Amino acid sequence: MFSALSRQPDDALLALIGLYRQDPRPGKVDLGVGVYRDEEGHTPVFRAVKAAERLLLDSQDSKSYLGLEGDTVYLDRLWRLVGGETGARLSAAGVQTPGGSGALRLAADLALRGGARRIWVGMPSWPNHAGIFSAAGLEVVPYPFFDSASQTVLFDRMIEALDGAGAGDVALLHGSCHNPTGAPLSSEQWALIATTLEKRGVLPLIDLAYQGFGRGLDEDAAGLRHLIAAVPESLVAVSSSKSFGLYRERTGAIFAVAAAPAAADLARSNLMALARTSYSMPPDHGAAVVRTILGDEALTRDWIDELDGMRARIQGLRRILAAGLRGVAPALQSIETQEGMFSLLPLSEAEVLRLRSEHAIYMPTSGRVNIAGLKTAEAESVVAKFAALR
Ligand code: LMR
């Protein structure tokens, strides 16, 4: 059976990690996979995470199963962080998942059970979005979202596309820090998206994977808070990978949000049944860490301080890149006002490969750059190499 299988292409983003590691050149630059790095090129464990882990080591007295729902205290505290006061007024059925990817998969499975057949995805998007949704059995309907040459959101085309969606369709939205473009949406744009989806009877699925990396914890959730209050039902997939630096601990959650408690409850029952036949129960550790941090005022303050520092570092790098690229392409000034780890440079695949072979600068062939992978000291020389391509 196995020998009849066809070989699958490597995941382009994850394969970059291996290529970068194998490159012996000193001064190589990794702008690939979306993990935060500090000025030493290191992905740190948050101080608050270490402190919470110490507390857990002393206090945890069992490794018995968590249950299908996962850690319910984690879910309550995480939902408060994501939904704020708006979320508290709505009914949210949360289920802990293995990372944000697990949340997206459960969301797609639930939508299919609810009768959805199609999901609208603005392009470009994180490449695994389409992969996860198609693997679940949803038809992915792409529409143009961003033009990288002019660095603009194609908002009219987005609304036109969503206005053509049918009742019972799903629409994917990035909560903040759009991956791969970093392009923000204004509150007026969120309001128009909400009106359009509500009018068409489309279920929003909001992917919130970078809360705190854009403008701030509340600011990064403002659009989604508006949206979930404006529609009768929505799904919010949350990742704690970046916001708490828990990448490998696979920590996330899916929230089914409804105005009516009974509807949310039905969603929870189905999400739990879907989890049972997929991975059964989620891993404990990452959620226990988040629960511990969010349940302790001093740890929460320290976590937010460190997160604020990460965001400030990225914003500083954005300023340097925008200034350096001013003379190269005026549109690239937008890098400064884009949010989160990523921006999408208008580079051809050949140019990306040249940067890799000639200068040991690594990024996916889409031209997406993980700005958090840069060190301040190397930013200007990287800019000069981009500029030299023109
Ligand atoms: C990314 O886009 O680089 C991250 O979300 C990591 C991943 O799993 O692809």
Side-chain angles (χ1 to χ4, degrees), residues 79-93 173 175 190-191 193-195 197-198 202-208 221-238 255-260:
W79 182 243
R80 229 171 292 153
L81 191 70
V82 170
E85 281 169 24
T86 311
R89 285 196 295 275
L90 298 162
S91 298
L173 294 152
W190 276 103
I193 291 168
T195 316
L197 298 186
E198 202 271 328
V202 175
L203 181 86
L205 163 55
I206 303 135
D207 183 2
L208 187 71
L224 87 84
R225 288 176 190 171
H226 179 87
L227 179 52
I228 61 175
V231 295
E233 293 177 353
S234 54
L235 287 162
V236 183
V238 184
F255 294 94
V257 190

Side-chain angles (χ1 to χ4, degrees), residues 259-332:
D265 213 47
L266 270 174
R268 186 194 332 270
S269 141
N270 278 273
L271 285 168
M272 285 162 62
L274 288 163
R276 180 63 170 156
T277 52
S278 173
Y279 53 84
S280 196
M281 283 169 265
D284 169 67
H285 184 71
V289 166
V290 174
R291 169 192 15 101
T292 306
I293 294 172
L294 295 180
D296 181 298
E297 236 177 78
L299 288 183
T300 300
R301 218 173 313 116
D302 190 45
W303 163 66
I304 294 175
D305 274 357
E306 201 167 352
L307 186 60
D308 287 349
M310 293 177 173
R311 184 173 64 250
R313 193 181 99 75
I314 295 173
Q315 287 168 339
L317 286 162
R318 286 189 172 282
R319 281 191 289 277
I320 298 173
L321 291 180
L325 290 168
R326 190 162 294 146
V328 181
L332 292 177

Side-chain angles (χ1 to χ4, degrees), residues 366-388:
S366 61
R368 186 191 82 170
V369 283
N370 172 21
I371 290 169
L374 263 180
K375 296 171 193 151
T376 307
E378 67 198 10
E380 279 179 16
S381 93
V382 167
V383 165
K385 279 154 196 159
F386 289 148

Side-chain angles (χ1 to χ4, degrees), residues 167-190:
D169 284 357
V170 183
L172 174 79
L173 294 152
H174 297 233
S176 57
C177 306
H178 188 272
N179 179 1
T181 70
L185 292 172
S186 67
S187 46
E188 291 76 25
Q189 288 174 322
W190 276 103

Side-chain angles (χ1 to χ4, degrees), residues 43-386:
T43 302
V45 180
F46 276 76
R47 293 182 302 265
V49 167
K50 275 285 184 209
E53 287 181 318
R54 276 185 221 106
L55 290 171
L56 286 169
L57 186 65
D58 289 339
S59 63
Q60 196 176 51
D61 56 5
S62 177
K63 292 285 184 192
S64 177
Y65 293 122
L66 268 186
L68 295 173
E69 218 175 337
D71 184 328
T72 53
V73 182
Y74 161 72
L75 291 166
D76 286 348
R77 291 178 183 163
L78 185 66
W79 182 243
R80 229 171 292 153
L81 191 70
V82 170
E85 281 169 24
T86 311
R89 285 196 295 275
L90 298 162
S91 298
V95 167
Q96 185 193 323
T97 54
S101 300
L104 291 166
R105 177 58 193 250
L106 271 198
D109 289 340
L110 182 76
L112 270 155
R113 271 207 179 178
R117 292 293 170 263
R118 305 193 295 179
I119 183 160
W120 295 74
V121 179
M123 293 293 164
S125 198
W126 180 48
N128 208 25
H129 276 142
I132 290 173
F133 301 143
S134 322
L138 285 172
E139 181 198 341
V140 174
V141 188
Y143 64 86
F145 169 77
F146 185 79
D147 175 58
S148 84
S150 60
Q151 295 285 302
T152 48
V153 172
L154 304 170
F155 190 70
D156 292 347
R157 291 177 74 180
M158 175 182 194
I159 292 299
E160 197 186 310
L162 295 179
D163 210 24
D169 284 357
V170 183
L172 174 79
L173 294 152
H174 297 233
S176 57
C177 306
H178 188 272
N179 179 1
T181 70
L185 292 172
S186 67
S187 46
E188 291 76 25
Q189 288 174 322
W190 276 103
L192 191 52
I193 291 168
T195 316
T196 309
L197 298 186
E198 202 271 328
K199 180 179 78 183
R200 305 301 307 178
V202 175
L203 181 86
L205 163 55
I206 303 135
D207 183 2
L208 187 71
Y210 296 88
Q211 190 180 5
F213 278 90
R215 277 176 289 155
L217 284 166
D218 283 325
E219 292 85 343
D220 291 354
L224 87 84
R225 288 176 190 171
H226 179 87
L227 179 52
I228 61 175
V231 295
E233 293 177 353
S234 54
L235 287 162
V236 183
V238 184
S239 169
S240 299
S241 296
K242 285 87 180 176
S243 306
F244 289 86
L246 285 166
Y247 310 88
R248 66 175 65 169
E249 302 294 353
R250 310 312 300 134
T251 310
I254 181 72
F255 294 94
V257 190
D265 213 47
L266 270 174
R268 186 194 332 270
S269 141
N270 278 273
L271 285 168
M272 285 162 62
L274 288 163
R276 180 63 170 156
T277 52
S278 173
Y279 53 84
S280 196
M281 283 169 265
D284 169 67
H285 184 71
V289 166
V290 174
R291 169 192 15 101
T292 306
I293 294 172
L294 295 180
D296 181 298
E297 236 177 78
L299 288 183
T300 300
R301 218 173 313 116
D302 190 45
W303 163 66
I304 294 175
D305 274 357
E306 201 167 352
L307 186 60
D308 287 349
M310 293 177 173
R311 184 173 64 250
R313 193 181 99 75
I314 295 173
Q315 287 168 339
L317 286 162
R318 286 189 172 282
R319 281 191 289 277
I320 298 173
L321 291 180
L325 290 168
R326 190 162 294 146
V328 181
L332 292 177
Q333 287 312 287
S334 312
I335 288 179
E336 188 168 343
T337 48
Q338 289 165 357
E339 295 174 350
M341 291 190 190
F342 307 118
S343 281
L344 187 70
L345 301 183
L347 298 176
S348 67
E349 183 170 340
E351 288 172 324
V352 169
L353 296 177
R354 257 182 69 197
L355 285 170
R356 202 181 293 172
S357 61
E358 291 174 17
H359 303 297
I361 298 174
Y362 283 76
M363 67 181 79
T365 49
S366 61
R368 186 191 82 170
V369 283
N370 172 21
I371 290 169
L374 263 180
K375 296 171 193 151
T376 307
E378 67 198 10
E380 279 179 16
S381 93
V382 167
V383 165
K385 279 154 196 159
F386 289 148

